[in-house]
Amino acid sequence: MTLLDSLPARPLTLDEGEDLALSDTVAPLTVLTADADSHRRGVYTLFVTSSEASRAFVAGFHPEQQRWTVVDSWDEDEWTPTKQEEALAAFVEEHYGDVEQEHMRASRGVESE
């Protein structure tokens, strides 16, 4: 079973996102902080690394398909914060438009300032 298989068929609650933030391999990225249109508060994208940190990917909740999907992925030597932010921004814009959100910056599964 993969991480994506273990996620619910909905965005994560804020509490579930906080629990994942304690992980060494998963960090919440896009958190909707207020209800907007048909989107409820919650966690809509995640940053994930493999246990040996050789691969990283951004996962997002796809509202039309009602499931979590890989937005983009990189080998350790290909990943950059800019690539991560570009993939994240494109996904959020395409599927969630202009909703009030908070972006958490994550690097290797650890929230950074």
Side-chain angles (χ1 to χ4, degrees):
M1 177 190 276
T2 68
L3 171 69
L4 293 182
D5 294 332
S6 68
L7 295 172
R10 59 169 171 72
L12 300 177
T13 65
L14 298 178
D15 287 341
E16 290 168 335
E18 286 180 19
D19 289 345
L20 280 179
L22 300 174
S23 165
D24 289 336
T25 59
V26 182
L29 288 176
T30 303
V31 179
L32 299 186
T33 56
D35 291 352
D37 299 326
S38 62
H39 309 300
R40 295 177 27 207
R41 292 175 1 132
V43 177
Y44 286 76
T45 63
L46 301 170
F47 176 77
V48 183
T49 58
S50 62
S51 56
E52 57 278 341
S54 62
R55 244 8 249 130
F57 68 92
V58 171
F61 184 76
H62 195 294
E64 292 84 17
Q65 296 176 2
Q66 291 293 297
R67 66 181 178 91
W68 288 86
T69 185
V70 173
V71 174
D72 208 339
S73 66
W74 308 271
D75 286 327
E76 180 179 28
D77 59 346
E78 297 175 314
W79 176 88
T80 66
T82 300
K83 287 181 181 179
Q84 174 183 314
E85 287 298 318
E86 288 171 352
L88 177 66
F91 178 82
V92 171
E93 176 65 27
E94 179 181 350
H95 297 290
Y96 295 100
D98 200 19
V99 296
E100 179 182 336
Q101 58 187 297
E102 170 186 322
H103 288 287
M104 299 178 76
R105 297 188 182 276
S107 173
R108 302 283 179 222
V110 178
E111 187 179 341
S112 62
E113 302 286 327

